[in-house]
Amino acid sequence: ESIPVLEWAREQDDSWKSSYYLGLIYWNAGRTTEAGQLYTQLEDKPDFAPFYLTRGELREQMNESNELILKDYQKAKQLEPEEWRSWHALTDHYMKTGAIERALDNAEQAYKKFPDRDPIEMGYAKALLAIGDYKSSTELLGSMHILPYEGASEGRVLFERAYSFLAL
């Protein structure tokens, strides 16, 4: 029921916000192509880091160019360098695309800025594991306090892998 209102709002002014919110609703309703079109049309107009994180994630889901996804995550980090979520998204993207050294560099910088954020710590531990620094990865994991939530197994799996590789 919000779609007609936001479509009307888009026609009334040139603000990126109505397109952003409409895109979120489209995406939630499974209309990813329409959401992607709206977000592509916005180009680099928004000055709001969550927009670029959202568009990057949508582009990942739609299997778009890694270059465009990377650009969005970098823009989010540039707009809000003191926000840990953009650092985390960028590390994850580097890991997914096999840019392990870049992932490690970003994760290490993020860890220095946000040492008590579980996703940042885990991203750093994953990057250390990926480059084969099992000892540093296990030391970091040993110092972390990760509380599992329902259905979460990432921390346990990471812990098992790091200690198994160290043992081998």
Side-chain angles (χ1 to χ4, degrees):
E1 58 197 43
S2 298
I3 290 174
V5 174
L6 288 169
E7 288 173 340
W8 174 85
R10 282 187 66 227
E11 294 170 6
Q12 303 309 305
D13 67 14
D14 195 27
S15 172
W16 60 267
K17 292 177 183 178
S18 52
S19 293
Y20 171 64
Y21 292 122
L22 183 59
L24 288 175
I25 293 171
Y26 281 162
W27 189 8
N28 184 57
R31 296 166 64 176
T32 53
T33 302
E34 291 167 277
Q37 289 169 349
L38 279 176
Y39 288 171
T40 298
Q41 290 170 2
L42 290 174
E43 299 172 345
D44 288 339
K45 288 180 190 172
D47 58 350
F48 186 56
F51 166 76
Y52 295 97
L53 291 174
T54 301
R55 187 169 69 181
E57 189 174 329
L58 179 63
R59 284 178 165 168
E60 281 185 354
Q61 184 179 333
M62 296 176 67
N63 296 315
E64 290 191 16
S65 156
N66 282 331
E67 187 177 304
L68 291 174
I69 297 165
L70 178 61
K71 185 179 169 191
D72 280 341
Y73 290 147
Q74 288 173 332
K75 179 76 172 185
K77 181 179 160 185
Q78 173 197 350
L79 286 172
E80 289 187 18
E82 299 305 316
E83 171 54 52
W84 66 269
R85 287 172 182 83
S86 54
W87 290 82
H88 177 62
L90 195 52
T91 297
D92 276 356
H93 180 70
Y94 285 140
M95 292 290 289
K96 288 175 190 172
T97 58
I100 304 304
E101 292 296 328
R102 291 177 90 181
L104 178 63
D105 181 53
N106 190 73
E108 186 173 18
Q109 289 179 48
Y111 180 68
K112 288 175 183 173
K113 286 179 81 75
F114 314 102
D116 296 327
R117 289 285 180 185
D118 291 347
I120 296 294
E121 290 177 306
M122 289 188 52
Y124 188 32
K126 280 184 204 174
L128 288 167
L129 182 63
I131 64 155
D133 190 350
Y134 311 129
K135 184 167 176 38
S136 295
S137 183
T138 56
E139 287 172 359
L140 177 60
L141 288 166
S143 71
M144 293 170 57
H145 299 284
I146 302 171
L147 296 175
Y149 53 90
E150 188 174 324
S153 60
E154 184 181 21
R156 180 185 53 79
V157 170
L158 183 58
F159 188 87
E160 287 173 358
R161 284 186 183 159
Y163 277 94
S164 295
F165 283 124
L166 182 62
L168 291 172

